[in-house]
Amino acid sequence: MAVLRSFVNGAWQAPADGVPVRDAVTGEEVARVSSDGIDLAAALEYGRRVGGPALRELTFHQRAALAKSLALMLREHRDELYALSARTGATRSDAMIDVDGGIGVLFAYASRAKRELPNDTVVVEGAVESLSRGGTFVGQHILAPRTGVAVQINAFNFPVWGPLEKLAPALVAGVPTIIKPASQTAYVTARLVELIVESQILPPGSVQLVCGSVTELLDHLDEQDSLSFTGSAATARRLRSHPAIVARAVRFNAEADSLNCSILGPDAAPGTPEFDLYVAQLVTEMTAKAGQKCTAIRRALVPVAWMDAVVGAVHERLQAVVVGNPADETVRMGALASLEQREEVRRAVKELAAGCRIVSGDPEHVSVTGADPERGAFLSPILLRCDDSGRPEPHTVEAFGPVSTVIGYHDAAEAIALAARGRGSLAGSVVTGDPDFARTVVVGLAPWHGRILVLDRTAAAESTGHGSPLPALVHGGPGRAGGGEELGGVRAVLHHLQRTAVQASPDMLGAITGRWVSGGTRRTDEHPFRKSLAQLRVGDAVVAGPRTVTLEDIEHFANFTGDTFYAHMDEAAARANPFFDGRVAHGYLVLAFAAGLFVQPDPGPVLANYGIDNLRFLTPVYPGDELTVTLTCKQISPRDGDYGEVRWDTVVTKQDGSVVAAYDVLTMVAKEWTP
Ligand code: NAP
């Protein structure tokens, strides 16, 4: 039987022999897994020496384009990945969660990076901090890619989504990755990495694969590397306290198991749409991927009065779940990943049964469609009921399979307290139509949860469900869930960057960040609206004015636009307002006058005004005040095509020097222009 190859140092390597991995459905050997003879220290070094520099040469947008290309390429190979996934026990819809979900994360990070990160190699974060009275000393944060390798260790249950949800942010960040799949399903991940390598989309050294043990690799992690782990809480604990990780402060992220809860609101009585949603969701979470989801509902917290009704309704639905070979179209729930995994779950159910009662399913027997129940890792869905909410078992024992426990509660405070007994979860849900209950429970649950779904009849049709982590939202949770935050939009990219505070003069800071900084040098030689992107430099500026604002201007503007708000029209009423000493000019009139002052009217390289950011009106403008505007090119962001975005720092002052309005004007400017 073939031994799975690892891809390290730019080449595929196969150890002579390894540990057999079996088909979850038939028990046949699929592959062997080992990392014997693979030089793991050299793999790390190759990533740092070859992959890192190649990725860091690219901008965030260029790397985002690579992520998108990967997603497009993998989309063409979905059927092959689904077929391999079936051997892990996954039904077609289970495989879609894994495969399409993983590809979706690549797409999501590609488009987010384009929108939210600069087309540059560093991120400039937050505002410039003023650090001195005279304005000659300022500070700002920058984030630059770390120069190490992102090592990822994955759990067996998501052989495609797991590696891709970790790869996408690291790739966009410019950090090379070493993927270590869980041995049980490593053959799926190995094919995924083969596809990535064969496509040659990524620079050499960006992605490596190690099948088998990586224990020795951990010794070689250094200060710039990171380790991202998904798996059991026990392994997370072991890795977190690994001497190299502790000694070198290696960045460590853990996504571990958690005893997620779903709370049924007291309003959601049997017969309401919310009751039905709750029951349907619980059954889905128990049976999707045969319950082998870190986010699955393990604890169903329901009002004591509805316990019988919930148990009855869930039992009835579970009876209709066909268990068996995913190749059979009638099958709704496939096998667990391995016979060993089934034994683990049976052991956990026994532990749970010490404090709870099995009310649906039988851990030892299941009717199986299209496969041999002895050779495949099949298990019936199992619902337990806990009538003594003081029992510890349902709050401490994870049965990583199609297993949930119904627990009764009396009021919101008790539901919150029971949820917290899980000591930290990835995901929770509250199914209710009562906004007060929802607010009380969400606020109570929040300190213990990474994500909370509130489900009601309004959201039901479009809800993504309790169990689905989404690239835009945090995936991770406190305490037992590992204390990590793997996903969550651009935050996941920042995890791979180093945040550094830079202190300098405005010009020096501007040279480092590529942005003009207030207090820095301005050049006013030629009107900047006459310059294409090829000529324009940050710091190019125009100072225009003064223009006197008259009472006639204010009245004209008021009548013309219809904005006859009393502060512009009624002297006495304006004076009575705590902000004004009399009738004031409209803020929008000030903006319009400022535009009239700074604009260069002839056709030129400035193509369009497309918005204003950070607008503040700071000092009232009265009739007789004289306005001056200073417009300074602050940031130039070329886009694909013939133009780019230019951000202009804009300050409107009046005769005494006070700032009337401050904002950023955004324009599109042509890359080339000949008069
Ligand atoms: P596991 O036994 O902890 O294994 C997870 C990974 O760690 C595997 O790749 C495993 O490799 C590796 N590993 C084990 N011991 C190691 C060591 N000493 N040094 C380095 N690597 C080591 O967990 P599992 O049984 O595969 O996964 C099931 C658990 O994962 C469940 O508890 C589930 O809740 C959790 N999970 C969490 C999430 C999440 O996002 N939070 C997602 C999925 C699963 P081998 O396979 O080669 O041993």
Side-chain angles (χ1 to χ4, degrees), residues 90-121:
T91 62
R92 174 93 170 180
S93 59
D94 294 342
M96 286 171 73
I97 298 174
D98 187 34
V99 175
D100 296 44
I103 295 171
V105 176
L106 280 170
F107 275 124
Y109 273 90
S111 72
R112 236 161 217 282
K114 279 240 163 185
R115 275 182 283 128
E116 296 178 33
L117 292 171
N119 194 10
D120 197 347
T121 52

Short mmCIF file of all heavy atoms in Angstrom, two decimals, residues 90-121:
data_model
loop_
_atom_site.label_atom_id
_atom_site.label_comp_id
_atom_site.label_asym_id
_atom_site.label_seq_id
_atom_site.Cartn_x
_atom_site.Cartn_y
_atom_site.Cartn_z
N ALA A 90 -17.75 10.58 4.97
CA ALA A 90 -18.56 11.79 4.74
C ALA A 90 -19.59 11.59 3.64
O ALA A 90 -19.28 11.04 2.57
CB ALA A 90 -17.63 12.95 4.35
N THR A 91 -20.81 12.04 3.88
CA THR A 91 -21.82 12.08 2.82
C THR A 91 -21.44 13.24 1.89
O THR A 91 -20.56 14.03 2.19
CB THR A 91 -23.22 12.36 3.38
OG1 THR A 91 -23.19 13.65 4.00
CG2 THR A 91 -23.64 11.31 4.39
N ARG A 92 -22.18 13.32 0.78
CA ARG A 92 -21.92 14.40 -0.17
C ARG A 92 -22.08 15.78 0.51
O ARG A 92 -21.25 16.66 0.35
CB ARG A 92 -22.92 14.27 -1.33
CG ARG A 92 -22.88 15.39 -2.32
CD ARG A 92 -21.97 15.08 -3.44
NE ARG A 92 -22.10 16.06 -4.50
CZ ARG A 92 -21.42 16.02 -5.61
NH1 ARG A 92 -20.54 15.05 -5.82
NH2 ARG A 92 -21.58 16.93 -6.52
N SER A 93 -23.13 15.93 1.31
CA SER A 93 -23.30 17.26 1.93
C SER A 93 -22.26 17.49 3.01
O SER A 93 -21.82 18.62 3.22
CB SER A 93 -24.72 17.48 2.42
OG SER A 93 -25.04 16.51 3.36
N ASP A 94 -21.80 16.43 3.69
CA ASP A 94 -20.67 16.60 4.63
C ASP A 94 -19.44 17.08 3.88
O ASP A 94 -18.71 17.98 4.33
CB ASP A 94 -20.31 15.27 5.30
CG ASP A 94 -21.39 14.73 6.22
OD1 ASP A 94 -22.27 15.51 6.62
OD2 ASP A 94 -21.34 13.51 6.52
N ALA A 95 -19.19 16.44 2.73
CA ALA A 95 -17.98 16.78 1.96
C ALA A 95 -18.06 18.22 1.45
O ALA A 95 -17.05 18.91 1.37
CB ALA A 95 -17.82 15.81 0.79
N MET A 96 -19.28 18.64 1.13
CA MET A 96 -19.42 20.01 0.64
C MET A 96 -19.08 21.02 1.75
O MET A 96 -18.48 22.06 1.49
CB MET A 96 -20.82 20.25 0.09
CG MET A 96 -21.00 19.56 -1.25
SD MET A 96 -22.69 19.58 -1.83
CE MET A 96 -22.85 21.27 -2.29
N ILE A 97 -19.49 20.69 2.97
CA ILE A 97 -19.16 21.59 4.09
C ILE A 97 -17.64 21.77 4.14
O ILE A 97 -17.11 22.87 4.30
CB ILE A 97 -19.65 21.01 5.45
CG1 ILE A 97 -21.17 20.86 5.45
CG2 ILE A 97 -19.17 21.86 6.61
CD1 ILE A 97 -21.72 20.15 6.70
N ASP A 98 -16.93 20.66 3.97
CA ASP A 98 -15.47 20.67 4.09
C ASP A 98 -14.82 21.30 2.85
O ASP A 98 -14.03 22.25 2.95
CB ASP A 98 -15.01 19.21 4.25
CG ASP A 98 -13.53 19.11 4.55
OD1 ASP A 98 -12.99 20.00 5.24
OD2 ASP A 98 -12.90 18.12 4.10
N VAL A 99 -15.17 20.79 1.68
CA VAL A 99 -14.47 21.19 0.45
C VAL A 99 -14.91 22.59 0.00
O VAL A 99 -14.08 23.50 -0.15
CB VAL A 99 -14.72 20.16 -0.67
CG1 VAL A 99 -14.10 20.62 -1.98
CG2 VAL A 99 -14.17 18.79 -0.26
N ASP A 100 -16.20 22.77 -0.19
CA ASP A 100 -16.68 24.08 -0.63
C ASP A 100 -16.43 25.14 0.44
O ASP A 100 -16.12 26.29 0.13
CB ASP A 100 -18.18 24.04 -0.97
CG ASP A 100 -18.46 23.11 -2.14
OD1 ASP A 100 -17.89 21.99 -2.15
OD2 ASP A 100 -19.23 23.47 -3.03
N GLY A 101 -16.57 24.71 1.70
CA GLY A 101 -16.29 25.64 2.81
C GLY A 101 -14.86 26.14 2.74
O GLY A 101 -14.58 27.33 2.89
N GLY A 102 -13.92 25.23 2.50
CA GLY A 102 -12.50 25.61 2.43
C GLY A 102 -12.22 26.53 1.26
O GLY A 102 -11.52 27.54 1.39
N ILE A 103 -12.79 26.18 0.12
CA ILE A 103 -12.58 27.02 -1.07
C ILE A 103 -13.20 28.41 -0.83
O ILE A 103 -12.63 29.44 -1.20
CB ILE A 103 -13.19 26.33 -2.32
CG1 ILE A 103 -12.42 25.04 -2.62
CG2 ILE A 103 -13.17 27.26 -3.53
CD1 ILE A 103 -13.05 24.15 -3.68
N GLY A 104 -14.35 28.40 -0.16
CA GLY A 104 -15.03 29.67 0.17
C GLY A 104 -14.16 30.56 1.04
O GLY A 104 -14.17 31.79 0.88
N VAL A 105 -13.39 29.98 1.95
CA VAL A 105 -12.52 30.80 2.80
C VAL A 105 -11.44 31.47 1.94
O VAL A 105 -11.12 32.66 2.13
CB VAL A 105 -11.87 29.96 3.92
CG1 VAL A 105 -10.90 30.81 4.73
CG2 VAL A 105 -12.93 29.39 4.85
N LEU A 106 -10.91 30.74 0.96
CA LEU A 106 -9.91 31.34 0.07
C LEU A 106 -10.51 32.53 -0.69
O LEU A 106 -9.91 33.61 -0.77
CB LEU A 106 -9.40 30.31 -0.94
CG LEU A 106 -8.34 29.33 -0.47
CD1 LEU A 106 -8.15 28.24 -1.51
CD2 LEU A 106 -7.01 30.02 -0.18
N PHE A 107 -11.70 32.32 -1.23
CA PHE A 107 -12.37 33.42 -1.95
C PHE A 107 -12.60 34.61 -1.02
O PHE A 107 -12.36 35.76 -1.38
CB PHE A 107 -13.73 32.96 -2.51
CG PHE A 107 -13.65 32.27 -3.85
CD1 PHE A 107 -14.17 31.00 -4.03
CD2 PHE A 107 -13.09 32.92 -4.95
CE1 PHE A 107 -14.11 30.37 -5.27
CE2 PHE A 107 -13.04 32.28 -6.20
CZ PHE A 107 -13.55 31.02 -6.35
N ALA A 108 -13.08 34.30 0.17
CA ALA A 108 -13.44 35.38 1.10
C ALA A 108 -12.21 36.21 1.46
O ALA A 108 -12.26 37.44 1.48
CB ALA A 108 -14.08 34.79 2.36
N TYR A 109 -11.09 35.54 1.74
CA TYR A 109 -9.89 36.30 2.11
C TYR A 109 -9.33 37.07 0.92
O TYR A 109 -8.78 38.16 1.09
CB TYR A 109 -8.85 35.39 2.78
CG TYR A 109 -9.16 35.34 4.25
CD1 TYR A 109 -10.00 34.39 4.77
CD2 TYR A 109 -8.69 36.34 5.10
CE1 TYR A 109 -10.36 34.39 6.11
CE2 TYR A 109 -9.04 36.36 6.43
CZ TYR A 109 -9.88 35.39 6.94
OH TYR A 109 -10.24 35.43 8.25
N ALA A 110 -9.48 36.48 -0.27
CA ALA A 110 -8.99 37.19 -1.46
C ALA A 110 -9.75 38.51 -1.62
O ALA A 110 -9.13 39.57 -1.82
CB ALA A 110 -9.17 36.32 -2.69
N SER A 111 -11.06 38.49 -1.47
CA SER A 111 -11.79 39.73 -1.72
C SER A 111 -11.67 40.69 -0.54
O SER A 111 -11.57 41.89 -0.72
CB SER A 111 -13.24 39.46 -2.12
OG SER A 111 -13.94 39.03 -1.01
N ARG A 112 -11.62 40.18 0.67
CA ARG A 112 -11.46 41.05 1.83
C ARG A 112 -10.13 41.80 1.79
O ARG A 112 -10.03 42.98 2.09
CB ARG A 112 -11.44 40.20 3.09
CG ARG A 112 -12.45 40.61 4.05
CD ARG A 112 -12.78 39.61 5.06
NE ARG A 112 -14.19 39.74 5.28
CZ ARG A 112 -14.74 40.69 6.02
NH1 ARG A 112 -14.01 41.57 6.65
NH2 ARG A 112 -16.05 40.75 6.16
N ALA A 113 -9.08 41.06 1.43
CA ALA A 113 -7.75 41.68 1.40
C ALA A 113 -7.73 42.82 0.39
O ALA A 113 -7.12 43.87 0.64
CB ALA A 113 -6.70 40.64 1.04
N LYS A 114 -8.40 42.63 -0.72
CA LYS A 114 -8.43 43.69 -1.74
C LYS A 114 -9.15 44.92 -1.21
O LYS A 114 -8.80 46.05 -1.53
CB LYS A 114 -9.15 43.18 -2.99
CG LYS A 114 -8.26 42.34 -3.87
CD LYS A 114 -8.18 43.02 -5.21
CE LYS A 114 -7.03 42.54 -6.03
NZ LYS A 114 -6.86 43.25 -7.26
N ARG A 115 -10.20 44.68 -0.44
CA ARG A 115 -11.00 45.80 0.05
C ARG A 115 -10.38 46.45 1.28
O ARG A 115 -10.44 47.66 1.45
CB ARG A 115 -12.42 45.34 0.40
CG ARG A 115 -13.36 45.32 -0.79
CD ARG A 115 -14.75 44.90 -0.36
NE ARG A 115 -14.81 43.47 -0.15
CZ ARG A 115 -15.26 42.87 0.94
NH1 ARG A 115 -15.71 43.57 1.95
NH2 ARG A 115 -15.29 41.56 1.03
N GLU A 116 -9.80 45.64 2.16
CA GLU A 116 -9.46 46.17 3.49
C GLU A 116 -7.98 46.30 3.75
O GLU A 116 -7.59 46.85 4.77
CB GLU A 116 -10.09 45.27 4.56
CG GLU A 116 -11.60 45.28 4.52
CD GLU A 116 -12.21 44.35 5.54
OE1 GLU A 116 -11.64 44.17 6.62
OE2 GLU A 116 -13.28 43.78 5.23
N LEU A 117 -7.15 45.75 2.85
CA LEU A 117 -5.71 45.87 3.06
C LEU A 117 -5.13 46.69 1.92
O LEU A 117 -5.68 46.72 0.82
CB LEU A 117 -5.06 44.49 3.13
CG LEU A 117 -5.44 43.66 4.37
CD1 LEU A 117 -4.93 42.23 4.23
CD2 LEU A 117 -4.87 44.30 5.63
N PRO A 118 -3.98 47.33 2.16
CA PRO A 118 -3.42 48.18 1.11
C PRO A 118 -2.71 47.35 0.03
O PRO A 118 -2.32 46.21 0.28
CB PRO A 118 -2.40 49.03 1.87
CG PRO A 118 -1.98 48.17 3.02
CD PRO A 118 -3.18 47.36 3.39
N ASN A 119 -2.55 47.95 -1.13
CA ASN A 119 -1.77 47.29 -2.18
C ASN A 119 -0.30 47.59 -1.90
O ASN A 119 0.37 48.30 -2.64
CB ASN A 119 -2.20 47.82 -3.55
CG ASN A 119 -1.68 46.95 -4.67
OD1 ASN A 119 -1.16 45.86 -4.42
ND2 ASN A 119 -1.78 47.42 -5.89
N ASP A 120 0.17 47.07 -0.79
CA ASP A 120 1.48 47.43 -0.25
C ASP A 120 2.00 46.23 0.53
O ASP A 120 1.30 45.22 0.67
CB ASP A 120 1.28 48.64 0.69
CG ASP A 120 2.57 49.39 0.99
OD1 ASP A 120 3.66 48.83 0.69
OD2 ASP A 120 2.50 50.49 1.54
N THR A 121 3.20 46.34 1.05
CA THR A 121 3.77 45.21 1.79
C THR A 121 3.68 45.40 3.31
O THR A 121 4.03 44.50 4.06
CB THR A 121 5.25 45.00 1.40
OG1 THR A 121 5.92 46.25 1.54
CG2 THR A 121 5.37 44.54 -0.04
#
